[in-house]
Amino acid sequence: MTKNLGFLATIMMWSSFALAEDVAPKIDTGDTSWVLISTALVFLMTPGLAFFYGGMVRTKNVVSTLFQNYAAIGVVGLLWAVCGYTLAFGPEGSGLLGGMKYLFLNDVGQAPNADYSATIPHALFMIFQCMFAVITPVLMTGAMGERVKFKSFLLFMGLWSLVVYSPVAHWVWGGGYFFKNGLIDFAGGTVVHITAGVAALVCALVLGERKGFGKVAMPPHNLTMTITGAGMLWVGWYGFNAGSALSADGRAGLAMLVTQVAAATGA
């Protein structure tokens, strides 16, 4: 059963962008409805992370930890609209960065984009991808917990989203080097998790231990918050993964099945 699921998942996870070759650009209300819902589910994951990390820090640092997550929504969300999206998905790029066609969301409107989203509005594809751009740096906040100033955090999040996330998204999803050489990333294994995981490890090594670690008791503030956040993340994963099909079809259903089986196995 596991082998069959893995095989089916591999077949399914061939890039959704291949749709552009087979389907004439035309809004499909079912696909649009599903991606709208998926976008909201992915957004839910960022407050979920705020709860998840907020419950594990000490009482004095709860508010700052929560606000780091929410502030990243604003900072990265605005940067994505201004230039992050075009750096990742702009056409006629260098292979390392996207072109500037979509700077300040120029030409990002209601019509589908045949290159990426043949059956949903281009604007919806952009905002769906924005939720990925937002949550990726937020994943790192746990590695910096209680050890970084708020201003430094915001500066790092903003720069990282432009210098790391957008270029890697272009390489893998936006027609860049890895995309052209056959790398398959259905829902962010490379773009989201590898980049955030490596960056989190580097941050932890650079920042070092919390003052008094191992000598002063540092009990978590509220593990109920952490479990609540984990539940929100579990729900959000359905939009994260199944939504990456960019359509309400069999691939979305199979992605949801694989997401549930994988999460249940991990649990």
Side-chain angles (χ1 to χ4, degrees):
M1 178 64 176
T2 303
K3 184 182 294 184
N4 290 336
L5 281 175
F7 174 75
L8 289 172
T10 301
I11 296 299
M12 174 197 69
M13 290 180 182
W14 180 254
S15 176
S16 300
F17 305 145
L19 279 173
E21 300 176 1
D22 303 323
V23 181
K26 182 181 179 181
I27 296 293
D28 181 284
T29 55
D31 293 349
T32 300
S33 298
W34 171 236
V35 179
L36 284 167
I37 293 169
S38 296
T39 300
L41 288 172
V42 180
F43 177 82
L44 177 69
M45 297 179 78
T46 298
L49 275 174
F51 273 79
F52 185 82
Y53 291 138
M56 291 192 286
V57 298
R58 288 170 287 181
T59 302
K60 66 178 182 178
N61 293 314
V62 174
V63 174
S64 64
T65 301
L66 292 174
F67 200 59
Q68 284 176 0
N69 287 263
Y70 283 98
I73 298 172
V75 172
V76 178
L78 283 175
L79 288 174
W80 185 252
V82 171
C83 60
Y85 178 66
T86 198
L87 290 175
F89 292 97
E92 301 177 0
S94 63
L96 298 178
L97 286 174
M100 293 295 105
K101 181 178 180 180
Y102 302 141
L103 190 66
F104 288 95
L105 299 186
N106 175 59
D107 202 30
V108 178
Q110 298 181 42
N113 182 323
D115 293 329
Y116 302 119
S117 50
T119 60
I120 66 173
H122 189 184
L124 178 56
F125 175 79
M126 176 271 169
I127 199 65
F128 180 67
Q129 293 296 333
C130 178
M131 297 301 101
F132 283 70
V134 166
I135 196 173
T136 303
V138 170
L139 289 169
M140 296 183 279
T141 55
M144 310 179 208
E146 304 184 305
R147 305 193 306 286
V148 63
K149 293 182 178 178
F150 184 68
K151 290 181 179 179
S152 301
F153 169 82
L154 290 185
L155 180 63
F156 176 77
M157 289 290 105
L159 290 175
W160 189 90
S161 72
L162 295 179
V163 175
V164 178
Y165 182 85
S166 288
V168 175
H170 179 70
W171 301 347
V172 177
W173 287 333
Y177 178 79
F178 291 124
F179 181 90
K180 293 176 180 177
N181 284 277
L183 177 65
I184 299 172
D185 185 345
F186 183 74
T190 300
V191 179
V192 175
H193 301 294
I194 290 180
T195 58
V198 171
L201 175 60
V202 172
C203 287
L205 292 174
V206 170
L207 292 172
E209 298 176 348
R210 289 173 288 180
K211 291 182 179 180
F213 182 77
K215 301 177 181 178
V216 179
M218 299 181 181
H221 163 68
N222 188 337
L223 290 181
T224 302
M225 284 178 59
T226 299
I227 298 301
T228 301
M232 294 169 67
L233 289 168
W234 195 324
V235 173
W237 276 119
Y238 296 126
F240 197 99
N241 292 342
S244 291
L246 299 179
S247 57
D249 59 12
R251 291 175 305 160
L254 187 55
M256 187 170 285
L257 183 155
V258 173
T259 299
Q260 171 59 24
V261 171
T265 302

